[in-house]
Amino acid sequence: MAKRNILQFIILGLLNQQARTGYELTKAFDSDIGEFWSAQHSQIYPQLQRLEADGQIIHSDEVSGEKLNRKRYAVTSAGQAALNDWLAADTEPTIGGRDEFALKLYFIKSPSDPRLQRMLAEQQAFHTQKCAHLQAQMAAKFPERQHADDFGHYLVLDHAIRRETAYVQWLQSASEQLA
Amino acid sequence: MAKRNILQFIILGLLNQQARTGYELTKAFDSDIGEFWSAQHSQIYPQLQRLEADGQIIHSDEVSGEKLNRKRYAVTSAGQAALNDWLAADTEPTIGGRDEFALKLYFIKSPSDPRLQRMLAEQQAFHTQKCAHLQAQMAAKFPERQHADDFGHYLVLDHAIRRETAYVQWLQSASEQLA
DNA sequence: TGACACATGTAACGTGTTACATGATTCG
DNA sequence: CGAATCATGTAACACGTTACATGTGTCA
């Protein structure tokens, strides 16, 4: 698992794009970058407090309505420095993520096991749909392949699509080899 | 993260293939299934104790030399039942694993950023080599595509190769789009 | 006899998930 | 006025890594 508290740098990166509230950060983990990292609000709010205590971000209060006070966070120059250090540092290459389904297949030794067909079909349905969803996103956000701006966003979407496509192809290939 | 203690089932699966010691289990996580799950011995030994207390595995003492006593674990019928329940249960599809490098790219907005080339090259070298290594393993273990036996092993190797290949292609494509 | 692999455990810490807890705003 | 969403926090627990700790067997 992550060891060097990656979360703090992701938050710095997101805040460096634009000032956000904890709530908005939480949503960001469910959309764009959700394909490659996730975090709950229960992890985000304490991390924001630590980053602020550390002088890497500051918040300004924003009142809406009568009472509601939300904290909008922005990176300080110290935060930008920390972010740049992270970006510049060598990156430990991703080693195979955990895949419960792959393990189940590993433990089913026979290509004629009666459970295989159903298992493969179920996963294939899911990943095929996900793939379609990602491609729709790509078409919506980069209609004319104009990804010179927001290059990073384009790259992660492309990454996710390739990953899901490869997954579906693996499942397909496995299905075809059932005895 | 994993929520239902997947580790216990992986151990049951491995022990169901053959009786093993904790040390041998630890090594198994570094070879075959290491592409899709990892665990240290500090996690494995306590889990073995819990599984035995639960009646899902039993150990027999094995002495080598004068004093050295190793515990060789085997699954009980209760353990086999638990394993089969896990295999038969619906599998939550894998949602994007965490990828620190992808996130770094996400935060580098411009295709002309001077850091990009070096970063991409570094990752590409790593994943290309890994890909080659996996393909060598495949060639060594399944020389004649005779994967009717050990089908599961073949599938996870194939999966790993496809994943790494897709990763390299993504990096390659990204490199070609640098401004 | 020294290095390395075999072998088994525990402790401390950090990260991540789920649940608990509370309240405001907006829109139908 | 009720439901959904916005908004922020804490607590308990599960999972995973790193470090600590100890000792044996084998081979050069």
Side-chain angles (χ1 to χ4, degrees):
Chain A
M1 191 183 306
K3 60 213 80 169
R4 266 168 33 270
N5 194 359
I6 310 283
L7 180 62
Q8 68 182 308
F9 299 116
I10 301 174
I11 290 175
L12 287 175
L14 288 168
L15 293 181
N16 193 50
Q17 294 175 344
Q18 57 185 279
R20 295 184 210 240
T21 66
Y23 188 82
E24 286 166 350
L25 284 168
T26 303
K27 280 190 304 181
F29 279 94
D30 292 333
S31 55
D32 277 29
I33 63 177
E35 290 297 325
F36 301 107
W37 208 276
S38 66
Q40 272 65 50
H41 76 274
S42 57
Q43 227 186 329
I44 291 167
Y45 287 111
Q47 185 67 65
L48 284 169
Q49 289 165 15
R50 268 176 260 133
L51 283 167
E52 186 161 42
D54 238 47
Q56 308 203 330
I57 59 176
I58 40 159
H59 81 269
S60 54
D61 290 314
E62 211 179 77
V63 183
S64 83
E66 280 303 302
K67 300 178 174 181
L68 191 78
N69 191 356
R70 69 194 140 201
K71 301 179 184 175
R72 187 163 297 276
Y73 289 91
V75 291
T76 63
S77 54
Q80 283 177 342
L83 174 59
N84 284 323
D85 284 352
W86 174 63
L87 291 173
D90 284 350
T91 310
E92 192 70 25
T94 303
I95 335 257
R98 313 200 142 182
D99 186 335
E100 184 180 358
F101 181 72
L103 286 168
K104 287 194 181 183
L105 289 192
Y106 177 71
F107 291 124
I108 294 182
K109 286 289 171 193
S110 165
S112 58
D113 190 295
R115 294 168 292 191
L116 277 175
Q117 181 156 37
R118 186 182 150 277
M119 289 170 73
L120 288 164
E122 188 187 15
Q123 296 289 316
Q124 208 167 341
F126 179 89
H127 289 282
T128 301
Q129 195 183 325
K130 178 150 187 182
C131 210
H133 180 255
L134 288 167
Q135 269 157 348
Q137 256 186 270
M138 178 66 99
K141 290 183 180 161
F142 302 96
E144 294 300 329
R145 283 155 199 79
Q146 286 167 347
H147 43 259
D149 55 335
D150 227 349
F151 187 53
H153 190 172
Y154 164 78
L155 283 180
V156 294
L157 245 182
D158 185 39
H159 189 4
I161 288 170
R162 287 172 187 270
R163 174 216 264 163
E164 290 300 318
T165 302
Y167 204 100
V168 169
Q169 284 168 353
W170 171 62
L171 292 168
Q172 182 63 41
S173 162
S175 289
E176 286 164 4
Q177 291 174 70
L178 296 186
Chain B
M1 189 186 306
K3 56 213 80 170
R4 268 165 32 270
N5 194 358
I6 309 283
L7 179 63
Q8 69 181 307
F9 299 117
I10 300 173
I11 291 176
L12 287 175
L14 289 168
L15 294 181
N16 193 50
Q17 293 175 344
Q18 56 185 279
R20 294 182 209 239
T21 66
Y23 188 82
E24 287 167 350
L25 284 168
T26 302
K27 280 191 305 183
F29 279 95
D30 292 332
S31 57
D32 276 30
I33 62 177
E35 290 296 326
F36 301 108
W37 208 276
S38 66
Q40 271 67 48
H41 75 273
S42 58
Q43 228 186 327
I44 289 167
Y45 287 111
Q47 185 67 63
L48 285 169
Q49 290 166 13
R50 269 176 259 131
L51 282 167
E52 186 162 40
D54 239 48
Q56 308 203 331
I57 61 177
I58 41 161
H59 81 270
S60 55
D61 290 314
E62 210 179 78
V63 183
S64 83
E66 281 301 301
K67 299 179 174 178
L68 192 76
N69 190 355
R70 69 193 141 202
K71 301 180 184 175
R72 188 163 296 276
Y73 289 92
V75 291
T76 63
S77 54
Q80 284 178 341
L83 175 58
N84 283 323
D85 284 353
W86 174 61
L87 291 173
D90 284 349
T91 311
E92 192 69 26
T94 303
I95 334 257
R98 312 197 143 185
D99 185 335
E100 185 179 359
F101 181 72
L103 285 169
K104 287 194 181 180
L105 288 192
Y106 177 70
F107 291 125
I108 293 181
K109 287 291 172 193
S110 163
S112 60
D113 190 294
R115 295 168 293 190
L116 278 175
Q117 182 154 36
R118 187 183 152 275
M119 290 170 71
L120 288 165
E122 188 187 15
Q123 295 289 316
Q124 208 168 339
F126 179 88
H127 288 281
T128 300
Q129 196 183 324
K130 178 150 188 181
C131 212
H133 181 256
L134 288 168
Q135 269 157 350
Q137 258 187 268
M138 178 66 98
K141 291 184 180 162
F142 302 95
E144 294 300 329
R145 283 155 198 78
Q146 287 166 348
H147 42 260
D149 54 334
D150 227 352
F151 188 52
H153 190 171
Y154 164 77
L155 283 180
V156 294
L157 245 182
D158 183 39
H159 189 5
I161 290 170
R162 287 171 186 271
R163 176 216 264 163
E164 289 300 318
T165 302
Y167 204 100
V168 170
Q169 283 169 352
W170 170 61
L171 293 168
Q172 182 63 40
S173 163
S175 289
E176 288 164 4
Q177 291 173 70
L178 296 186

